[in-house]
Amino acid sequence: MITHSIDRLEYLCSVIPPLLSSIPDHEFRNKPAPGKWSRQEILGHLIDSATNNHQRFIRVQFEEIPYIRYDQDQWVLNSHYNELNKEDMIEFWKRYNLHLVELMRRIPAENLQKFCNTGGENPVTLEFLVNDYVVHQEHHLKQMVKY
């Protein structure tokens, strides 16, 4: 089931924002190498992921195998995340994910086995999407902070 993922995401929303806020702005915006994302751009990517997965979590419940993919590099490039206010982004990431937590809690069990095409070889279940979303968040959060 998805209960563990929901609990984990809620936990992340409580512990991560202060850790991100403690990073000096110049370090948060620093790109480690050409073509690599700064921490602020990684956070932006996680917001993009929330946006796209929000759509997946909802549409998969009422559409016949929706096709929802996105080009993460283009989303980050065209969102200009390094130019935005760090604290606003942290708060938005937190609030958006708490919203997703509430949505996830209300997914009927029978809908967890419905499928979505994310551009991979095979469609995946909503259950997989929810669990994978949280794993993806944690993967990138661990690139930014230790918790």
Side-chain angles (χ1 to χ4, degrees), residues 71-89:
D71 183 326
Q72 64 185 20
D73 291 317
Q74 287 299 317
W75 274 68
V76 169
L77 177 69
N78 290 288
S79 294
H80 307 280
Y81 286 120
N82 262 0
E83 299 168 24
L84 302 180
N85 179 281
K86 176 179 107 175
E87 292 304 320
D88 290 346
M89 288 181 62

Side-chain angles (χ1 to χ4, degrees), residues 28-127:
F28 207 64
R29 287 188 172 91
N30 181 55
K31 291 176 172 271
K36 296 288 185 181
W37 291 339
S38 67
R39 289 178 181 149
Q40 185 147 320
E41 289 170 321
I42 293 170
L43 182 61
H45 166 64
L46 293 179
I47 292 168
D48 296 341
S49 180
T51 301
N52 282 277
N53 280 286
H54 181 184
Q55 190 175 167
R56 290 171 178 162
F57 298 163
I58 299 303
R59 288 178 52 193
V60 73
Q61 295 186 70
F62 67 89
E63 291 182 20
E64 184 72 28
I65 311 180
Y67 178 80
I68 308 166
R69 70 170 294 278
Y70 74 104
D71 183 326
Q72 64 185 20
D73 291 317
Q74 287 299 317
W75 274 68
V76 169
L77 177 69
N78 290 288
S79 294
H80 307 280
Y81 286 120
N82 262 0
E83 299 168 24
L84 302 180
N85 179 281
K86 176 179 107 175
E87 292 304 320
D88 290 346
M89 288 181 62
I90 293 168
E91 184 66 18
F92 184 61
W93 173 86
K94 174 185 170 181
R95 294 288 174 203
Y96 205 155
N97 278 286
L98 288 173
H99 177 69
L100 292 179
V101 162
E102 293 304 321
L103 292 177
M104 291 172 185
R105 282 193 174 118
R106 290 163 175 77
I107 296 172
E110 63 271 14
N111 286 351
L112 292 171
Q113 297 312 307
K114 292 187 175 187
F115 287 94
C116 181
N117 184 335
T118 62
E121 276 189 41
N122 297 305
V124 295
T125 64
L126 177 53
E127 181 175 18

